Amino acid sequence: MWDLFKQTQTRAHGSSSISPSEELKKLLKKVVSFRDLHIHVNVASDASLTSLEAKAQQEEAHIPSSSSLYTAGQNNTHRVVLEQKKLAIILVGLPGRGKTFLCNKLKCYLNWLGHPTAHFNVGQYRRKNKEGDDLQDAAFFDHNNPAGRAARERAFHLALQDLMGYLHTEAGQVAILDATNSTQERRNKVCEALRGRVRYIFIENICNDPDVLQQNYLNKMLYSPDYQGVDTEQAVVDFMLRIRKYEDIYEPIEDRNMHYIKLTDMVTGRGHIDINRISGYLPGKIVFFLMQVRRVKGIGGAGSAARLPGPWFGMSGFQCSAGGSGTSFMCFTRSILTSYL
């Protein structure tokens, strides 16, 4: 039967039939394409092919134990993070919409999955690099204020530079840029810096629910370094004016050529998520995670909060109906915010 098959193949290909090793060499010279990886293999000679086959046989004969695999994983001697696997996540949204909270939760989730993730908050760069006793109040965030705009641009570029430096290391795989990125001009700058180097997606967080906004603003008054030591009523007025400055120039993502995930009132349970040009393993995991945003009862039983997988931190334990050191502050600040919302 085998002789009949060989005669058939000889008649089909003629006398100049290609040897199996030559066919294998032709196959190896081609590009083996996967979703996120292109491997170019170049076989120089039959000798190198023979050495590769011998090495494969040796590796097949030796099956490592689980302990040796664990040791190799600890040393990371064979671990290579490919450039195509790098991912930058850029947040978009007005102040007080929960961007930083979302970044921290997303960072914990991706690190838990085994993808080293770092968080770069532009606001921290702005505060760290302010000159002397410069007052960064609402006027500082006015688009028509050249000094404030220049300082915010410097902070943005410093954060972006550190983000790129992190992704160029072997250890870094995912980096999150936490900022308002409220104009298409700013988002174009991010695209220009990242295009051709790493993959990137935008996450826009839109919230219009007054109850959720009020809770977010309360968190801002308590925990934001911008308002430490500032009178509560003065802080609320200043923060609301800052939001108005951003609203004057805010441009939602509408370009369908961009890769983005848009969350609109997802925390209320009545919102929706818009996914545009998102594909791949990591972006898919991020979409799954963001779809878990939901509203749950607070600890005090009277409030609601955005809930994401993982340990929860926030203001649910400081409801006006509950005890605690923050009760009087919360009630007072809530009454001020109500007049603005």
Side-chain angles (χ1 to χ4, degrees):
M1 191 69 181
W2 174 247
D3 294 334
L4 179 60
F5 175 77
K6 288 175 65 178
Q7 293 175 7
T8 305
Q9 292 297 313
T10 302
R11 286 194 298 268
H13 297 286
S15 58
S16 60
S17 59
I18 303 175
S19 65
S21 62
E22 292 293 327
E23 290 183 357
L24 182 58
K25 286 170 60 178
K26 285 190 174 183
L27 287 174
L28 290 175
K29 287 181 180 179
K30 295 182 180 180
V31 178
V32 183
S33 299
F34 299 91
R35 179 178 294 274
D36 298 316
L37 175 63
H38 294 278
I39 304 175
H40 294 269
V41 182
N42 184 20
V43 180
S45 63
D46 289 334
S48 61
L49 180 61
T50 305
S51 62
L52 287 173
E53 292 175 348
K55 184 177 179 181
Q57 291 176 359
Q58 292 175 359
E59 292 179 352
E60 184 178 2
H62 173 67
I63 301 175
S65 63
S66 58
S67 60
S68 63
L69 286 175
Y70 177 74
T71 305
Q74 280 186 321
N75 295 333
N76 289 327
T77 54
H78 300 291
R79 181 176 178 271
V80 178
V81 180
L82 300 173
E83 199 69 10
Q84 290 87 343
K85 294 294 184 181
K86 307 286 186 174
L87 179 66
I89 303 171
I90 303 97
L91 269 290
V92 177
L94 290 168
R97 264 56 181 179
K99 296 186 299 298
T100 300
F101 171 81
L102 192 63
C103 288
N104 288 325
K105 288 296 183 179
L106 194 56
K107 173 186 173 182
C108 292
Y109 175 67
L110 293 175
N111 278 316
W112 176 73
L113 287 178
H115 306 286
T117 305
H119 175 201
F120 299 88
N121 184 284
V122 176
Q124 292 182 357
Y125 286 85
R126 168 178 55 80
R127 287 184 288 269
K128 183 179 179 181
N129 293 277
K130 73 174 183 177
E131 299 177 354
D133 297 328
D134 287 349
L135 184 62
Q136 297 182 344
D137 57 2
F140 175 84
F141 297 91
D142 193 328
H143 189 69
N144 297 317
N145 181 351
R149 186 174 181 180
R152 287 183 283 124
E153 283 292 318
R154 284 195 300 270
F156 163 74
H157 286 291
L158 287 172
L160 188 59
Q161 182 179 351
D162 286 351
L163 179 145
M164 292 299 299
Y166 172 77
L167 289 178
H168 284 159
T169 63
E170 183 179 353
Q173 187 177 3
V174 182
I176 307 174
L177 183 65
D178 181 8
T180 57
N181 297 309
S182 52
T183 64
Q184 187 61 41
E185 178 185 2
R186 168 66 66 84
R187 295 191 287 267
N188 288 338
K189 290 181 180 179
V190 178
C191 292
E192 291 173 3
L194 300 177
R195 186 177 292 117
R197 300 181 181 180
V198 297
R199 294 182 302 162
Y200 57 90
I201 62 174
F202 291 87
I203 299 178
E204 183 176 14
N205 194 12
I206 299 175
C207 181
N208 301 311
D209 186 88
D211 294 335
V212 177
L213 291 177
Q214 178 174 286
Q215 189 70 28
N216 290 346
Y217 297 164
L218 290 175
N219 290 344
K220 194 78 172 181
M221 297 303 102
L222 274 182
Y223 300 115
S224 175
D226 287 332
Y227 297 110
Q228 287 183 356
V230 180
D231 177 73
T232 303
E233 186 171 1
Q234 180 183 352
V236 172
V237 172
D238 182 81
F239 186 62
M240 298 306 296
L241 288 175
R242 182 196 298 191
I243 294 176
R244 300 289 185 266
K245 301 292 184 183
Y246 276 101
E247 287 177 339
D248 291 340
I249 63 170
Y250 185 77
E251 298 172 349
I253 299 178
E254 296 178 346
D255 185 0
R256 285 291 180 177
N257 292 319
M258 298 179 66
H259 306 269
Y260 66 82
I261 304 168
K262 182 179 293 192
L263 307 171
T264 304
D265 289 328
M266 283 289 290
V267 68
T268 65
R270 302 182 301 274
H272 61 275
I273 181 170
D274 185 9
I275 303 170
N276 186 71
R277 299 190 66 190
I278 298 297
S279 63
Y281 171 77
L282 265 181
K285 283 292 185 181
I286 293 170
V287 170
F288 167 78
F289 177 80
L290 295 176
M291 290 179 68
Q292 310 311 311
V293 176
R294 61 190 185 278
R295 196 169 186 172
V296 297
K297 289 289 183 180
I299 296 175
S304 300
R307 185 79 177 198
L308 290 172
W312 163 255
F313 62 93
M315 297 300 299
S316 55
F318 291 87
Q319 304 296 338
C320 289
S321 59
S325 59
T327 302
S328 59
F329 173 85
M330 293 291 290
C331 294
F332 176 65
T333 310
R334 193 185 299 275
S335 63
I336 298 174
L337 285 171
T338 303
S339 62
Y340 285 90
L341 296 174

